[in-house]
Structure formats: structure tokens, C-alpha cells
Amino acid sequence: VPELPEVELARRVLARELEGARVERVVVADERLDAVALGGLVGTRGVKVERRGKWLRLTFARKRTEVFVFAHLGMSGRWLVADAGAPAARHERVRLEVARARWKTALLYTDVRRFGRVLVAPADFEAWSELGPDPLLEGTDPERLHAALGARRVAIKVALLDQRLLAGVGNIHATEALWRAKIDPRSRADALTLPDVRALVKGIRATLTLGLRSQQGDEPAYVQDGAANRFKVYDRTGPCPRCGTNLVKIVLGGRGTTYCPGCQRRIR
DNA sequence: AACGGAACCTGAAAGC
DNA sequence: TGCTTTCAGGTTCCGT
């Protein structure tokens, strides 16, 4: 469910609740998670919560040593804030009960499909250190991205989903960015010129920034939640909002992809 | 190294 | 009203 904007929202909530708080109780309710390692967090203090792409890194400290927890929301993960001692949430997998001063809260990790991860690992954990630049943290250097795309013969949409190239762009924002840049998602990655990549980088930035702006409060805003679809073409059918041509939906790299055959140019 | 496809999971919605 | 199929905003593994 989550892409960069939703993960950033989770980061803010976790940072607010965790930083400076002491871990009092840990409950793990998923046999594929390491209950022993996570249980070892009891007695530590939350130090900071960082994000790179769609990964979160939670730093805890016990005396002078640091412990890292890496968390990924997968397709259906969420972090909820509840009162300490609140009954288990639906699909709750991990509960961190924390206290600061005399204030206690519970951070509940819920995940219907269980594609998400919550693991204790060293700071140089592979999936984290191999991430490409984060478009909103370091920004995206068009020349560097252009060079990297030159080695890829896959569709540009598929390349955008490779987190080692660029961290944080998922299916929605890849779809949106390509529409904004007027590039057909089926275009081969190595066919894009530097000006094409510049337009794409602008599109990525625009759609992620808009996504971030639309996140209000503690709860991520999703299309399904009854709210109006805030995207230009994702999950839409009918006329293109820019040129009026009917949108088309195809499958690329196993993922649903919507584009406008009227104004998104196929680069060859 | 890169590629296409299957696998990992559950549940809601659409199709029949 | 059921039963079946499809689809979902992610990553990883496996055989070419």
C-alpha cells in the first residue's frame, strides 16, 4: 500500500512517539518475525527514526550501544498509535509499548498480507545500504540517472521500480511521473535522452511532493479509503485529464500500468 | 549482470 | 445467493 509519502508519514509518527521514550514491553505475534531479537529492545531508549526510500531505520540505545530495527511496510503494513494496554488491533504483528515521563503509548505494527518486515539488523543491513538516492532526501541527479538507465533495456516503468536505481518510487508514483513527463511507460529505459530524464525527474519530484502534501494527521490517505482519487491517471479510466484521449491500462513487469496513448510519447 | 516470471500472503471486489 | 477469479501502492528468488 505504501510508497514514499506514506512511509514518510509513518516515520514522522514513529519519531514523535519513539524518540526519547523507553521501551517497556514488546509483543510479537508473527512466527516469521524474530521475537527474541525484538524482545531484546525492552529497556532501550528510542533515539531516532530515519527513512530511506520505503525503508525505516529505528535506532535504539542501551547505555552506549546502539540497536537498529529496519522496518518495511510491504503491501499492507501500517503503524498505529494506541493507548498502552489497548486490545490487539486486527492483523497486529508487533507491539512496542513505550513510556516517556509518565506518558505511555503503544505502537502497533499491523500487516494483513505479511509482506512487510520488522527486523533487528546491523546499520549496514544490505537492503538498506544498497538503496539508490532518495528523491526527496538527496534529490535525483538527472545525469547520473540517465547514465544508469543506459544499462537497462527494460521498460522505463520497470526500471523506475528498481530501488537500487532510485529509492521510494513505487507503482503509483512511477505511473504518475511518466504521465507528467509525457513518456510512454513501455519506452525502453536506455532510449531516454537526458532531456527525457530531466522531465522524468521533475515528474517524480512533483508527484511525490504532492503525495506528501496530501498526508494529513496520523493516518495515511489511500485511494480505497473512500477519499477521492488524488492521482492524475493511477486507478482511473476514461479521458486523459490533459488531452482527453481515453486512458489505457496494461501490465508491465507484472504491475498494472495506466497511461495515455494520446500524449505520452513512445521513445525508441 | 540483467531479465521475465513465479513466489510469498490475505481479503475485497468483480465476474459468473 | 453462492462460488470462482482477479486484483492490490512490494520485494525476493530462481532459472535463463
Side-chain angles (χ1 to χ4, degrees):
Chain A
V1 191
E3 288 191 36
L4 189 153
E6 293 76 23
V7 181
E8 173 60 19
L9 178 69
R11 188 200 66 76
R12 291 175 187 170
V13 171
L14 289 176
R16 186 188 72 211
E17 301 296 330
L18 219 47
E19 290 176 3
R22 174 172 301 277
V23 179
E24 299 209 318
R25 181 165 174 253
V26 176
V27 182
V28 177
D30 187 336
E31 69 284 352
R32 54 172 55 192
L33 301 177
D34 188 341
V36 174
L38 289 167
L41 295 173
V42 172
T44 64
R45 181 176 302 274
V47 176
K48 59 184 171 183
V49 182
E50 300 160 287
R51 179 190 63 75
R52 270 183 73 77
K54 300 169 201 167
W55 278 96
L56 293 170
R57 180 172 71 177
L58 288 55
T59 304
F60 296 88
R62 183 194 301 284
K63 299 212 174 82
R64 307 203 50 138
T65 64
E66 292 192 321
V67 182
F68 298 101
V69 171
F70 289 87
H72 194 294
L73 298 174
M75 287 284 264
S76 53
R78 289 182 169 202
W79 283 95
L80 309 173
V81 181
D83 293 330
R90 194 161 154 78
H91 305 298
E92 180 179 314
R93 311 293 181 193
V94 178
R95 163 179 301 230
L96 301 178
E97 293 192 357
V98 302
R100 71 205 306 164
R102 57 190 189 289
W103 193 253
K104 292 188 182 186
T105 56
L107 301 170
L108 313 182
Y109 175 68
T110 69
D111 188 359
V112 175
R113 295 177 66 184
R114 304 200 289 165
F115 289 165
R117 316 270 296 273
V118 180
L119 50 97
V120 179
D124 57 355
F125 169 61
E126 199 176 41
W128 170 268
S129 51
E130 287 182 354
L131 290 172
D134 182 300
L136 295 191
L137 294 178
E138 297 93 19
T140 311
D141 175 10
E143 301 195 359
R144 191 203 136 276
L145 181 57
H146 179 245
L149 291 174
R152 311 297 300 273
R153 299 149 68 115
V154 290
I156 181 60
K157 163 93 176 338
V158 173
L160 284 180
L161 299 179
D162 185 342
Q163 303 297 297
R164 293 168 304 184
L165 233 48
L166 211 63
V169 176
N171 199 41
I172 287 188
H173 291 296
T175 298
E176 294 287 295
L178 286 161
W179 179 83
R180 286 170 179 271
K182 301 185 182 176
I183 296 172
D184 186 319
R186 299 169 298 172
S187 305
R188 265 174 53 155
D190 61 0
L192 270 66
T193 63
L194 184 55
D196 293 329
V197 176
R198 286 192 202 285
L200 187 51
V201 166
K202 273 192 176 179
I204 291 168
R205 204 173 169 79
T207 187
L208 290 179
T209 303
L210 182 65
L212 204 49
R213 267 214 307 275
S214 57
Q215 302 296 331
Q216 308 275 343
D218 280 10
E219 295 292 314
Y222 290 111
V223 171
Q224 303 90 312
D225 295 346
N229 181 351
R230 59 206 148 87
F231 302 111
K232 301 292 188 184
V233 292
Y234 176 80
D235 201 34
R236 289 191 187 280
T237 56
C240 167
R242 184 166 50 210
C243 78
T245 306
N246 270 350
L247 298 172
V248 169
K249 184 169 181 182
I250 59 171
V251 175
L252 273 182
R255 317 295 302 278
T257 305
T258 301
Y259 72 100
C260 173
C263 58
Q264 285 180 259
R265 180 174 51 99
R266 178 81 178 257
I267 302 163
R268 296 184 187 275

